[in-house]
């Protein structure tokens, strides 16, 4: 079982959650992939999540969907250990280079979240 990180470790960015179209993509890997311009290769089919990898000329990214919102939160709590920025929607997460997240958000909705890592930091 995954241990949940403190909710203070997850900080939503200042960016709006609504895309230009005013809707959010449904929690389906293939739909999100299509809206972002790729055909995904499914690499995980599990009870608690589905994960697809997209590769375009610009970027490689991962789309993860969940059958229930509680699994999204468990995934985010676990990812908080590593830190980084993610695009998070209702029952889905997109992991990509930070500069791509805003472009994707305009197409699929969601909120860009910055997760703070909990591991050791580099010294001076």
């Amino acid at each position: 079982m995954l241990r949940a990180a403190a909710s203070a470790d997850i900080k939503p960015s200042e960016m709006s959650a609504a895309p230009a179209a005013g809707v959010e993509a449904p929690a389906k890997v293939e739909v999100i992939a299509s809206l972002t311009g790729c055909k995904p290769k499914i690499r995980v089919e599990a009870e608690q999540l589905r994960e697809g990898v997209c590769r375009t000329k610009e970027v490689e990214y991962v789309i993860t969907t969940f059958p229930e919102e509680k699994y999204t939160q468990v995934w985010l709590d676990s990812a908080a250990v590593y830190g980084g920025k993610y695009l998070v929607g209702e029952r889905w997460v997109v992991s990509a280079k930070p500069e791509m997240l805003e472009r994707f958000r305009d197409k699929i909705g969601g909120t860009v979240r910055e997760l703070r890592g909990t591991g050791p930091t580099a010294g001076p």
Side-chain angles (χ1 to χ4, degrees):
M1 179 173 212
L2 299 172
R3 190 175 141 236
S7 61
D9 292 339
I10 300 173
K11 303 288 183 196
S13 74
E14 296 296 319
M15 296 180 225
S16 168
V23 296
E24 185 173 286
K28 186 163 184 181
V29 171
E30 292 81 2
V31 171
I32 295 170
S34 175
L35 291 170
T36 58
C38 88
K39 183 174 179 173
K41 179 178 180 182
I42 302 299
R43 71 177 184 187
V44 177
E45 284 268 7
E47 188 176 322
Q48 296 178 349
L49 65 86
R50 250 181 119 228
E51 190 172 85
V53 177
C54 283
R55 288 183 180 90
T56 68
K57 291 179 183 179
E58 292 183 285
V59 67
E60 180 176 313
Y61 54 102
V62 177
I63 300 165
T64 308
T65 61
F66 310 92
E68 295 179 43
E69 188 60 27
K70 68 180 180 181
Y71 297 122
T72 309
Q73 192 56 53
V74 169
W75 189 97
L76 289 168
D77 290 345
S78 298
V81 171
Y82 305 102
K85 289 186 178 183
Y86 301 87
L87 182 58
V88 181
E90 187 174 327
R91 298 183 6 224
W92 56 262
V93 174
V94 174
S95 307
K97 291 180 181 178
E99 61 269 18
M100 295 300 295
L101 297 177
E102 183 64 25
R103 290 164 106 187
F104 291 155
R105 190 194 64 79
D106 288 341
K107 295 176 181 182
I108 62 175
T111 302
V112 176
R113 289 194 184 181
E114 183 168 355
L115 307 182
R116 296 182 182 218
T118 58
T121 58

